[in-house]
Amino acid sequence: MSRSWRNHCPGDLSIQLPELHADEVEPALAAASAAADAWARLPLAGRADALRRARGAIEAIQADLARAIALETGKPLGECQGELAAVLAKFELTLADAQRYLSEEVPADAPHPSVIRRRPRGPAVVIGPFNFPIHLPHGQIVAYLAAGNPVIFKPSPAAGNVCAKYAQAMCANLPPGVFSLVQGGAEEAQALVTDRRVRAVGFTGSVSAGKAIAAATAGDLGKDLALELGGKCAAIVCADADLDQTARMCAEAACLTAGQRCNATSRIIVDRSVLSAFLERFLPAIHNFAPGDPLDPATRLGPLINEAAHERYRRLIELPEGQWLKRGHVPAVVAGKVGYYVEPAVLLLENPEDAARSTLARSEIFAPIVVVIPSDSDPQTVQLHNDTPFGLTASVFTRSRDRFNQLADRLWAGNIYGNLPTTASPSQLPFGGWGDSGNGHPGGRGFVRFTAQEQVIQVAGGSMA
């Protein structure tokens, strides 16, 4: 990657954003190391006061940040506003978790007077994605900070400008060195995560990058990794589902953020007895997601992030797999603007056996392409669902709680929703996946559990004055 680059607005390629420059990592590493002891020794109440000041600063520029996300990443403005609302809510949710999970415990049955306490790990590196450029890294950032760890934030290069605005608000309200921003790409990320002074890494992104980080840090056994990776999430449509509601939710979950979500609905496994009835509702519902200018508040489907994603979409909709019920399309102009716009695509794989060989049914796409697969039984549905290396979210649409429970007990996923879309991932709950979707450190609520390390203190009774 070049040491300098410029991002274009994905929704209007004529708009060129300010030039970005890759940073040297050593100043941030040195500053975080220097700040670590004082920040760790500051009581939680003091750290909370600083974080609440940062929250106020972000709230003051909330509208500007939302517009900046839409401009730089192409995410529709309405979604960006929702992202900033979640960012603000994360402060108090995390501080409440810190009170719960970081408090000292005094065992009643220990042989000597004892205390179990949680100590900061030390400087942490958080590497963020482009699709939720503030919200996803922010959840880890606030948790590490609340637990007493300085943080170095390396955002996605595709969202460097908006993340610089966020970082400025954070830095202005925290002691020097406690929070730093490092712009750059894979080279800077590699230098940060492999440095021995870094004691924790939080990464959200692709499976390949996550595995590379895990391999690069494998020799540093005390370095904690939290990896939130990909997904191939499925909606399961049972014969007794409310098909109107199900179709609407599946269409929305496939098209939010132009399908560029790890929890997007990219597969729909439908009871064959209601396949025709479901498609009669789903196809019109997904047709409602027409590409539009991300800065228009009415837009529901924005562009893809960049040219590489655009070209990949072009290749995928030409694959000779199954039956294209909606082939997909790349419009030359949308709202008078040239951008990385696409339309939703829907592929039907009539034979479940084809799904095992299908690129589109097994690979993470990160675009609004949905594969519909009919199933003849619940065991077959479970087999189809579990036949991917991912295990992030799954939705089951049924009117029967018993059937939901029976399916949920056999589905391989970290988050299972009943009559909710695969994107229903509120900040009030943990969020994490299995297999190639993550490494057992759920994000969302409770992530602060992984930002500290347990220490046990015991002293022989009466041996000290």
Side-chain angles (χ1 to χ4, degrees):
M1 179 178 173
S2 171
R3 298 294 296 172
S4 299
W5 69 99
R6 286 183 182 271
N7 293 330
H8 291 77
C9 173
D12 185 349
L13 297 181
S14 69
I15 299 176
Q16 191 176 61
L17 279 71
E19 187 174 30
L20 293 161
H21 304 275
D23 293 315
E24 298 295 333
V25 304
E26 179 55 33
L29 288 165
S33 297
D37 184 64
W39 185 246
R41 290 180 179 277
L42 185 67
L44 175 58
R47 299 195 296 266
D49 286 344
L51 287 169
R52 289 188 175 107
R53 289 194 297 272
R55 184 197 183 282
I58 290 172
E59 187 173 24
I61 59 171
Q62 178 179 1
D64 179 52
L65 288 173
R67 189 180 186 282
I69 295 173
L71 187 68
E72 190 162 26
T73 72
K75 184 154 72 170
L77 184 59
E79 291 188 42
C80 300
Q81 292 166 340
E83 176 170 351
L84 263 297
V87 167
L88 293 173
K90 185 65 73 174
F91 283 97
E92 291 301 331
L93 288 171
T94 301
L95 290 173
D97 282 347
Q99 289 284 358
R100 175 183 178 186
Y101 292 110
L102 302 181
S103 298
E104 291 186 351
E105 298 178 37
V106 179
D109 56 352
H112 305 290
S114 305
V115 174
I116 303 169
R117 60 185 185 178
R118 278 79 190 179
R119 306 291 293 163
R121 294 184 179 278
V125 166
V126 174
I127 302 174
F130 74 84
N131 57 348
F132 284 85
I134 299 179
H135 173 55
L136 288 178
H138 174 76
Q140 296 180 336
I141 287 167
V142 176
Y144 282 122
L145 291 173
N149 309 286
V151 171
I152 301 169
F153 175 33
K154 198 212 77 66
S156 165
N161 285 285
V162 67
C163 289
K165 295 177 184 288
Y166 161 80
Q168 185 176 17
M170 293 289 287
C171 287
N173 292 279
L174 294 166
V178 168
F179 182 85
S180 302
L181 178 74
V182 170
Q183 300 275 18
E187 180 180 344
E188 287 71 28
Q190 178 83 355
L192 287 169
V193 303
T194 55
D195 193 282
R196 296 288 297 187
R197 289 167 287 185
V198 171
R199 304 319 305 146
V201 175
F203 171 77
T204 305
S206 70
V207 176
S208 59
K211 288 181 176 179
I213 290 172
T217 59
D220 190 348
L221 298 181
K223 183 173 294 183
D224 188 72
L225 300 186
L227 305 176
E228 185 176 324
L229 308 177
K232 189 64 183 174
C233 304
I236 293 170
V237 184
C238 299
D240 65 342
D242 180 332
L243 297 182
D244 291 318
Q245 177 193 60
T246 301
R248 288 193 301 270
M249 288 187 177
C250 288
E252 180 176 61
C255 294
L256 284 171
T257 322
Q260 298 170 121
R261 292 190 180 198
C262 56
N263 60 358
T265 294
S266 58
R267 296 182 295 157
I268 304 176
I269 303 171
V270 188
D271 189 296
R272 193 181 295 273
S273 67
V274 295
L275 176 63
S276 296
F278 171 75
L279 291 174
E280 287 174 3
R281 293 160 173 81
F282 177 67
L283 292 174
I286 207 164
H287 269 284
N288 289 332
F289 286 84
D293 179 358
L295 294 173
D296 182 345
T299 293
R300 302 176 71 195
L301 178 65
L304 298 178
I305 184 64
N306 56 27
E307 184 177 6
H310 208 222
E311 287 304 312
R312 184 166 184 259
Y313 170 90
R314 288 179 190 269
R315 295 194 302 271
L316 291 173
I317 61 174
E318 294 301 324
L319 288 177
E321 295 186 1
Q323 176 188 354
W324 286 99
L325 304 178
K326 188 177 186 302
R327 168 69 75 170
H329 177 61
V330 178
V333 177
V334 169
K337 299 172 182 178
V338 176
Y340 299 124
Y341 292 102
V342 299
E343 292 184 357
V346 181
L347 177 72
L348 174 64
L349 294 177
E350 275 281 4
N351 299 313
E353 296 78 14
D354 294 339
R357 300 186 294 270
S358 168
T359 298
L360 291 168
R362 292 183 54 79
S363 302
E364 186 174 38
I365 302 301
F366 245 51
I369 301 176
V370 185
V371 178
V372 179
I373 310 168
S375 173
D376 295 304
S377 66
D378 283 356
Q380 187 177 63
T381 292
V382 172
Q383 180 182 0
L384 286 166
H385 175 273
N386 293 347
D387 189 26
T388 79
F390 301 101
L392 189 56
T393 70
S395 296
V396 178
F397 292 93
T398 177
R399 300 177 194 269
S400 168
R401 184 59 185 256
D402 286 343
R403 191 173 198 186
F404 170 79
N405 290 338
Q406 290 172 14
L407 287 168
D409 285 347
R410 291 181 287 166
L411 297 177
W412 203 73
N415 310 269
I416 301 175
Y417 311 131
N419 297 325
L420 292 166
T422 59
T423 52
S425 306
S427 295
Q428 293 86 349
L429 292 174
F431 179 76
W434 300 349
D436 280 359
S437 291
N439 71 329
H441 282 47
R445 196 71 189 265
F447 178 76
V448 76
R449 290 172 293 165
F450 307 107
T451 61
Q453 49 196 354
E454 190 172 87
Q455 185 180 62
V456 177
I457 304 293
Q458 62 175 336
V459 177
S463 65
M464 296 182 183

